Amino acid sequence: MLLSLGCLLELQCEAPTPVLTLVRPHMGLLPDLQAPERVELDPDRTLEALTDRSGNRWSRMVTPSGVTRFRYATAITCPDSPDPVEPSAPQCPVQSLPIDTYPFLTASAYCDTPAVMTLAWQQFGATPPGWERVQAICDWVHDRIRFDYQAVAPHKTASHTLADGAGVCRDFAHLAISFCRCLNIPARYCTGYLGYTGIPMGEAPVDFSAWFEAFLGDRWYVFDARHNIPRCGRVLIARGRDAGDVPFLLSFGEHQLLRFEVITEEIATPEPAAALAP
């Protein structure tokens, strides 16, 4: 399918402020782009494009004092099939894991694994290891945490979400990631575009979405404790240990976000013309 992607960020700063944005599709998706990436800055100024070692593509600028508007837009193709489901995927023994998965086994800023370790083993320790265990974690988080925009808090950890019983998609992901790590399953945070593609249109505006990937067997698989169904139309922006590694906006100074819009829409493609009879 062909998707139109974009966002608008409008922020106000009292003084010139260094800012990073993270809204471009991941480096691994560059071959799928079907239109030039358009970036508009008002007022016009220098914008640097930077890519980190994880393939996350940042934009860096220094905003002036006053209001700055940042717009991004492109089009991309992605599979029209939902996330792969592999119930036979096994859990990889810790001693056999690739070395680059180990950072995704330990606690991070929003994934406070020590605080949920006992519950993780009590609740999921008897579940068959592998895909079934990760899916059981997603089922549990999905059933017990209420999606609620009013429950947003900037420093909310997995244990806070557990105590509140409510959160947004990043909180669902942080809690599921924390449970996985407690059970020696590498899990990493993902942020990206995921609108209402393939599901009925909801009342809430489209936002950046969060899900996670778990390492099973010899590869990473997508899981989503918030929606808890395979989805189509995911467009990865970035991966990290948690949301603290990959914020869509990182300001090195005081700022106020005045306006925030995200666009993720399927573009209808014309039907192929019928062949004419000879």
Side-chain angles (χ1 to χ4, degrees), residues 3 5-6 22-35 37 50-51 55-58 72-77 191-193 208 234-238:
L3 297 177
L5 305 178
L22 188 57
V23 302
R24 301 171 185 253
H26 189 267
M27 175 65 72
L29 299 180
L30 285 181
D32 300 324
L33 294 180
Q34 301 299 309
E37 295 182 285
L50 306 167
T51 303
N56 306 325
R57 303 169 63 225
W58 301 81
Y72 172 78
T74 191
I76 193 169
T77 54
T191 181
Y193 293 92
F208 290 120
R234 291 188 199 275
V235 178
L236 177 71
I237 293 176

Side-chain angles (χ1 to χ4, degrees), residues 217-235:
D218 60 357
R219 56 160 291 187
W220 294 95
Y221 291 93
V222 168
F223 289 89
D224 187 339
R226 158 71 176 97
H227 296 98
N228 204 30
I229 57 172
R231 291 286 306 274
C232 59
R234 291 188 199 275
V235 178

Side-chain angles (χ1 to χ4, degrees), residues 63-214:
T63 66
S65 57
V67 176
T68 296
R69 295 175 183 85
F70 172 94
R71 294 180 183 270
Y72 172 78
T74 191
I76 193 169
T77 54
C78 66
D80 58 5
S81 55
D83 306 319
V85 176
E86 297 290 345
S88 62
Q91 183 165 333
C92 183
V94 174
Q95 65 271 23
S96 301
L97 286 168
I99 191 63
D100 59 0
T101 65
Y102 282 91
F104 304 103
L105 280 174
T106 56
S108 54
Y110 294 101
C111 297
D112 50 345
T113 52
V116 300
M117 181 72 71
T118 300
L119 176 61
W121 280 100
Q122 287 176 346
Q123 191 65 43
F124 309 109
T127 306
W131 185 279
E132 186 173 346
R133 179 171 286 177
V134 180
Q135 186 56 58
I137 289 171
C138 290
D139 293 342
W140 194 93
V141 173
H142 179 80
D143 292 343
R144 284 164 177 77
I145 304 302
R146 183 182 77 259
F147 186 83
D148 186 353
Y149 277 117
Q150 302 305 314
V152 172
H155 304 296
K156 193 170 189 175
T157 65
S159 63
H160 292 149
T161 299
L162 189 62
D164 290 350
V168 292
C169 57
R170 60 177 259 168
D171 303 312
F172 283 72
H174 287 151
L175 182 54
I177 287 169
S178 299
F179 282 147
C180 285
R181 292 178 183 175
C182 288
L183 297 161
N184 297 322
I185 302 169
R188 61 190 183 187
Y189 181 90
C190 300
T191 181
Y193 293 92
L194 180 64
Y196 291 106
T197 309
I199 63 172
M201 182 71 70
E203 295 181 0
V206 174
D207 197 348
F208 290 120
S209 190
W211 58 90
F212 74 100
E213 294 174 343

